[in-house]
Amino acid sequence: MVQPLVEADADGSPSLRFHTTSKSAKFAQLSADGRCTLSFINPSSLACVVFAGTAERLPGPEAAALRDGWPLFPPQQNFTGWRLRPSSVQVVSIPAALGGGTRDDAGNSPD
């Protein structure tokens, strides 16, 4: 499970913090090539936000702060913290007429 923490870097640009265990395939893949995509789904509205970019492993003190401040179910063993600096963000939402959320997509509501 990925529980993102969105923060601003020192220069004000957004980044997402996430974690994985050093025993996972995800860890091996990120270590070899940091390019990745993280998707976050809101099942009640059938909406999704997709972040694509390059992830880098957090240095020890930042990873420890992330681990210690993790909001839900903090992993205790083999924790590795990562930062994704998104190069693109995509929002996908299924219109209410098709069974999605109730928001009015781009002002086009069926009358």
Side-chain angles (χ1 to χ4, degrees):
M1 173 189 289
V2 175
Q3 300 164 319
L5 297 176
V6 179
E7 298 182 356
D9 287 336
D11 65 358
S13 60
S15 65
L16 287 86
R17 308 301 197 270
F18 65 98
H19 72 84
T20 188
T21 172
S22 61
K23 304 292 183 186
S24 70
K26 180 171 37 173
F27 173 83
Q29 292 163 349
L30 287 170
S31 295
D33 182 353
R35 292 177 298 166
C36 68
T37 301
L38 299 176
S39 300
F40 305 98
I41 299 170
N42 180 340
S44 65
S45 66
L46 295 178
C48 176
V49 180
V50 180
F51 299 90
T54 302
E56 60 187 19
R57 190 168 176 186
L58 294 174
E62 285 185 64
L66 179 65
R67 181 196 63 228
D68 295 344
W70 204 255
L72 298 172
F73 310 109
Q76 299 301 315
Q77 296 186 1
N78 306 310
F79 180 95
T80 62
W82 295 81
R83 172 188 300 117
L84 174 68
R85 291 193 171 98
S87 56
S88 69
V89 177
Q90 180 181 22
V91 178
V92 178
S93 178
I94 298 173
L98 297 176
T102 58
R103 67 168 249 219
D104 182 10
D105 262 4
N108 298 322
S109 63
D111 291 352

